[in-house]
Each structure stands twice: as structure tokens, then as C-alpha cells.
Amino acid sequence: MGHFGEKLRRLRGDRTQKSVAEDLNIPQTTLSSLEKQEGIPRGEILKNLADYFSVAIEYFYDAPELRSSEDAKAWLQGLRTNFESRDTVATHSNMQYDSKTLEQIAAKLREKRDKTSEK
Amino acid sequence: MTRLQKSNTDPTALTNDEIVGTLLIESGASERLPTDERKVLSFLGLQQLSFDFMNELDFVDADTTPKKDLRAALSLKDKLVAVQSNLGNKRSRFSVLHEIAHFVLPDHRDKIFLDNDETLSWATKARLEREANQLAADLLFQGTRFASEAIQCPLSWQTVMQLAPNYGASYEAAGRRFTETHVLPCALLVYDKFTKTNDVDFEEDVYRLQYTITSDPFRKNFFRNLQATPNRFPTSELYKPKYWGETTEGKLIVNADDGSKSQFETEVFSNGYKIFQFVRQAQCK
């Protein structure tokens, strides 16, 4: 969990609490408290702080961790089954190849795969 | 016994975050860095094949259809991902992840492998490539993991150089990710080599501004893109290191249409092929 106050303190940098508090039109004691606060404040103050320091609001929140979902799992596991597909390839290239060339590339790859597995 | 589970969900309703998170976690690739593309391939039942597109595609006329640009290919029918045999680890990993993206994105399967309309328009092809690159980057940088780590570090090109090897990413890919996901205002200007003079006097090589990446707060406060006039720079105008590979610091002044000027701090680095100019507000370190 990120500490809100530490993130806020980092944004202030070399500027004094007094000057930042004046710019934000809040008492210096409020800014001092915010810089010691672990949780994220509610309401307008958060938006004002983000605007003042030119950061996205998300700066103050922890990024969501990776998560697995049952629907995505079902979809991805389903991809393991064989599909009817055109005999073609998707390419990682800036070029665009015609459908005949793509079909020939698919055949070449299959041929090499078969030769490799024979060895 | 089938391993398929019944789902009433339309796969096109799945978000990229869901697909990336599930793929990384269920394949075990989220357990360490860099992302092990072989684990993801294995989880999906795909086989990797090393292939020399330059020399093994003898039927393709190199004069009319350049092959040197081909880095990887995916055959859905054979469940094969072929990668150019002489690619370095970083480019090879990204190319495999790019093909995996085509494999798992529902719309891509339909458009590339199932539709009867066999020829994709340039616009569709460009969209599919952009989406595959995006998902590949999400897999490489493990969702928000890179961004979360980066935010704990200084807003500096040094952070990019420090984190890139951990993620098995090029400086360019890491620099793009760092900038586009950062919560502080920053931008990355990338210059590519326009003309090469000779092998000795690299200072005389000419570069041009290839593209600009900006963070959301940078766009909000400043601008989205930069244009350079004229759009040609000798190396010495952009990058004057004491030794090759050094990151140099400087200033960048940007003129707005209304006549106003903005000044930024910059860090400039070159990998020998491109020049990277990282831009941030003063005192953002």
C-alpha cells in the first residue's frame, strides 16, 4: 500500500510547506497533516492537489494488481482446442502480403515443423 | 475429459486487462521477470519455431516483396509461432508476444483467420497491428507492474535504463511505457537516423523527429505532439556525449502558436540507431 502523505511530500520537492499551502489556499497545518496521512483524503482536496502538482489523480492510488477472471480463463483454455481456420498466417511486419503469399508461408512453416519433429 | 469450461460470456466483451492478467497468472509467467513467453506459449498449446524468413521463403520475390522486415508469423491452423532465427532476445520475445496477442484477441482471430474476405484493408491491418503491439507490451510489462515500479523511482531516463533490462525490454519500449503510463508530466521525443554519413563521424549523421510520446498530465498541461522545422538534425545538435552511451542533460524550449514559450529539462541518450530525448518539467526529479 502506498502512503498518501509520502507521495504528497515527494511532489512538494524543494518548495516550502508555507508557499505550497498559500498557493492552495489552505492552512499550513492542514498540508502538514496531509503529508503525515496514510490514507487518501476524500472530496475536493484530492483534485486540487492533483491539479496543483500537475499529476493524474491515479498518482495517489495504488495501481491494480494482475487478476485472473473465470471468463477469460475459459476463453483462453478453449483456444487450446483445434479450430477450423483458413490456411494463412498473421505476420509481425510492416509489410502487407497478399493472401497467396501468406498461404505459402503457412505451408513453409508447416513443412519445417514436420521436418524438425521427424529428427 | 475436456478442460473447457462453459461460459456464457461473449469473448469480445473481455477486457485487455482481464486477458493479460489471466494469461500471465494462469501460465505462471507472472511469477518472475522478464515475462517468459515460452510459458505463455505452452499454456496456450502453441509451438515455437525458429525460422529464417530471409532465406527460407525462396518463393517470395525479394525485389517486389521485401522479407527483411518479417520478424514473426502465427499459423492458427498449425498452432505455430515462427520467429526470425537471428533476432536478439528482446526483439524475439516481443515478436512472440505480438503473435500471442493475435492468437488471443477474439476480433483478430475472426478478421485474420476466419473471415472469408481474405484481404484486409490497410486501415484494418494497421488497427490489428496496433492492438497486438499494445497487448504484447502489456504482457511484457506485466500489466501495471512496470508503471507501479517506475513511480517509486525518479522521473528520469536513468529509471528507464535501470528497469528495462529487468523486463527484458529495449530502452525504446521501456521509455515509451514509462512515459505513456506516468502520472507526472513528461514526454519522450524519438529521433531516427535519416542519413548516415560514414562509419567514423557519427556526429554528422542526420536524424529526424520520428514520433512523440506524452503522459496524460503532460498532454493536459502542455501539448500532445511536437513538430520540428526543419525536421532534420545533425547528431551534434541533439546529442553531444563525453563518451558514447552517456546520458546528457539539457534544456528544450518549445514555441507555441500563440508566441509563448515553454522550457523543459531534457535527458538525451542514443542506442546508436535512435536518439531519445526525455522531457520533464523542471524540479520533477
Side-chain angles (χ1 to χ4, degrees), chain B residues 2 28 34 74 79 83 92 109 140 173 193 198 200 208 210 214 224 231 235:
Chain B
T2 179
L74 163 71
K79 295 204 166 166
V83 187
S92 170
R109 300 167 65 84
L140 183 67
K193 204 173 280 186
N198 58 57
V200 182
R208 65 181 166 189
Q210 186 186 13
T214 47
R224 177 177 290 272
N231 188 17
T235 309

Side-chain angles (χ1 to χ4, degrees), chain A residues 10 54-56 59 63-64 68-69 71 75 78 80-81 83-84 86 89-90 92-94 96-97 104 110 112, chain B residues 4 9 18 22 26 42-43 50 69 71-74 78-79 95 104 112-113 115 120 144 151 183-185:
Chain A
R10 193 171 150 235
S54 303
V55 296
Y59 170 76
S68 176
S69 85
D71 287 332
W75 164 249
R80 295 177 65 92
T81 57
F83 284 85
E84 279 302 314
R86 289 197 294 114
V89 289
H92 189 194
S93 161
N94 296 324
Q96 188 157 13
Y97 300 94
Q104 286 176 304
R110 186 160 49 245
K112 178 155 189 188
Chain B
L4 283 175
T9 305
E18 258 183 300
T22 306
E26 299 301 329
S42 168
F43 174 74
S50 179
D69 186 44
R71 281 155 278 173
L74 163 71
D78 294 309
K79 295 204 166 166
S95 286
V104 300
I112 301 169
F113 298 104
D115 280 0
L120 295 173
T144 57
I151 204 175
V183 292
L184 294 168

Side-chain angles (χ1 to χ4, degrees), chain B residues 267-281:
Chain B
E267 291 173 294
V268 185
F269 170 80
S270 175
N271 61 4
Y273 303 101
K274 294 187 180 184
I275 291 178
F276 305 96
Q277 187 172 33
F278 184 69
V279 178
R280 62 171 183 247
Q281 268 183 295

Side-chain angles (χ1 to χ4, degrees), chain B residues 89-257:
Chain B
N89 283 346
K90 290 174 200 159
R91 297 185 77 195
S92 170
R93 178 181 294 110
F94 192 82
S95 286
V96 170
L97 296 175
H98 176 99
E99 296 308 332
I100 285 171
H102 283 312
F103 186 72
V104 300
L105 287 167
D107 182 39
H108 289 220
R109 300 167 65 84
D110 293 346
K111 288 272 186 307
I112 301 169
F113 298 104
L114 304 179
D115 280 0
N116 287 325
D117 180 12
E118 295 182 2
T119 307
L120 295 173
S121 70
W122 272 103
T124 304
K125 163 92 174 158
R127 175 177 67 80
L128 298 179
E129 289 303 292
R130 199 169 53 244
E131 289 172 356
N133 281 337
Q134 181 62 52
L135 197 105
D138 288 344
L139 291 168
L140 183 67
F141 294 108
Q142 304 219 345
T144 57
R145 184 169 176 174
F146 177 88
S148 301
E149 204 174 335
I151 204 175
Q152 308 296 325
C153 304
L155 181 66
S156 163
W157 184 256
Q158 298 303 324
T159 298
V160 173
M161 294 182 71
Q162 180 194 326
L163 295 181
N166 302 345
Y167 287 81
S170 65
Y171 291 138
E172 182 172 5
R176 288 182 66 130
R177 188 75 171 187
F178 183 74
T179 306
E180 70 193 4
T181 59
H182 215 288
V183 292
L184 294 168
C186 57
L188 178 64
L189 314 185
V190 179
Y191 303 84
D192 65 347
K193 204 173 280 186
F194 183 66
T195 54
K196 184 172 171 59
T197 47
N198 58 57
D199 288 336
V200 182
D201 299 324
F202 63 85
E203 290 95 341
E204 298 308 315
D205 290 345
V206 175
Y207 284 79
R208 65 181 166 189
L209 181 59
Q210 186 186 13
Y211 62 87
T212 310
I213 301 284
T214 47
S215 68
D216 274 346
F218 192 93
R219 286 195 290 279
K220 189 176 159 194
N221 289 284
F222 304 108
F223 45 82
R224 177 177 290 272
N225 277 307
L226 273 180
Q227 286 184 328
T229 314
N231 188 17
R232 304 282 185 270
F233 307 87
T235 309
S236 54
E237 233 179 73
L238 290 167
Y239 183 52
K240 280 192 282 191
K242 291 195 189 85
Y243 56 90
W244 191 252
E246 181 194 25
T247 300
T248 62
E249 297 193 358
K251 304 277 182 206
L252 176 72
I253 296 172
V254 178
N255 299 309
D257 290 341

